[in-house]
Amino acid sequence: MALVNVVNMAVLDNPASFLSPFSFEITFECLQPLSDDLEWKVLYVGSAEDTSHDQVLDEILVGPIPVGINKFVLQADAPDISQIPEGDILGVTVVLVTCSYREKEFVRVGYYVNNEYTEEYDEEAGPPKPLDMNKVRRSVLAEKPRVTRFPIQWGDTKDEEIENVQQNGQGGMAGQSLEEAKMAGAHGGGETDSMMVDAVME
């Protein structure tokens, strides 16, 4: 049984300028006292073709964690434009919020992000180069996050859930795009939901 459950995650200031920080209001429940901090991370997928363009926008340690319902705002800087291929700045990509305990990721929330140029341009010629980033708007598809949960060992005794996953085997990810694989997590064996945020996190 997971000792920490994400109850809700809200994307704040959405839509926003591409250059604006990402802000997530996270509500989670802690069922038992934890001896270590939780590590929260925000990851931006810079290119669907090459993982070397992924950027960790922020990572923080939160603790000590009181038992019960907890809420905080996780804010992360906008991606570094210089690390994103020019052809991948506009269009659809993914932002991920993950949480780990003792360096083991146990939940991953993925959102599709659409970056569009707010000024009209000739479709055949394409947007101006270089892009005026002040005219790029970022819209996070906040209503449909993809939530993946991974069973981990919370204490010194192995969780039955972990043993069940090992016995049942890990699910393959053949046929998924790189973005879809990251949304679901590279671990395999996780339980993934793609629903309305309030429904999936209750």
Side-chain angles (χ1 to χ4, degrees):
M1 180 183 70
L3 298 187
V4 175
N5 296 304
V6 176
V7 177
N8 193 48
M9 189 176 297
V11 182
L12 307 179
D13 303 324
N14 181 52
S17 165
F18 183 93
L19 302 176
S20 299
F22 282 94
S23 293
F24 303 91
E25 184 183 74
I26 301 170
T27 305
F28 66 93
E29 181 180 20
C30 181
L31 301 180
Q32 294 181 22
L34 301 177
S35 56
D36 292 292
D37 294 342
L38 296 176
E39 181 184 22
W40 295 87
K41 185 182 298 184
V42 181
L43 177 73
Y44 186 85
V45 177
S47 172
E49 307 297 329
D50 188 350
T51 58
S52 68
H53 296 293
D54 291 357
Q55 298 181 46
V56 176
L57 304 183
D58 198 7
E59 49 186 331
I60 63 169
L61 293 175
V62 176
I65 306 296
V67 173
I69 299 294
N70 299 270
K71 180 186 291 187
F72 73 103
V73 173
L74 175 58
Q75 189 171 82
D77 290 337
D80 181 355
I81 301 301
S82 67
Q83 302 301 314
I84 304 175
E86 188 177 39
D88 290 321
I89 294 176
L90 299 180
V92 178
T93 186
V94 166
V95 65
L96 304 168
V97 179
T98 70
C99 191
S100 303
Y101 182 68
R102 294 180 175 175
E103 300 184 350
K104 299 294 184 181
E105 182 181 334
F106 64 89
V107 66
R108 167 176 297 211
V109 182
Y111 294 94
Y112 285 109
V113 180
N114 184 42
N115 298 311
E116 59 181 353
Y117 205 65
T118 57
E119 223 173 58
E120 291 187 7
Y121 58 86
D122 187 321
E123 293 290 342
E124 293 185 2
K129 295 182 181 181
L131 286 172
D132 182 350
M133 296 308 301
N134 290 305
K135 297 178 180 177
V136 177
R137 181 175 60 188
R138 178 186 72 220
S139 298
V140 179
L141 189 57
E143 296 81 9
K144 294 185 178 181
R146 182 158 180 175
V147 182
T148 307
R149 302 175 181 86
F150 306 100
I152 67 168
Q153 183 175 331
W154 292 90
D156 297 327
T157 304
K158 283 192 175 181
D159 194 295
E160 291 182 2
E161 192 176 10
I162 297 177
E163 295 176 351
N164 290 337
V165 170
Q166 291 173 340
Q167 292 169 3
N168 294 336
Q170 296 185 346
M173 301 183 71
Q176 287 186 318
S177 69
L178 181 60
E179 288 179 346
E180 290 172 331
K182 287 177 180 175
M183 289 278 272
H187 304 67
E191 297 180 357
T192 303
D193 300 311
S194 181
M195 311 169 71
M196 296 294 288
V197 64
D198 289 334
V200 78
M201 294 184 176
E202 286 179 354

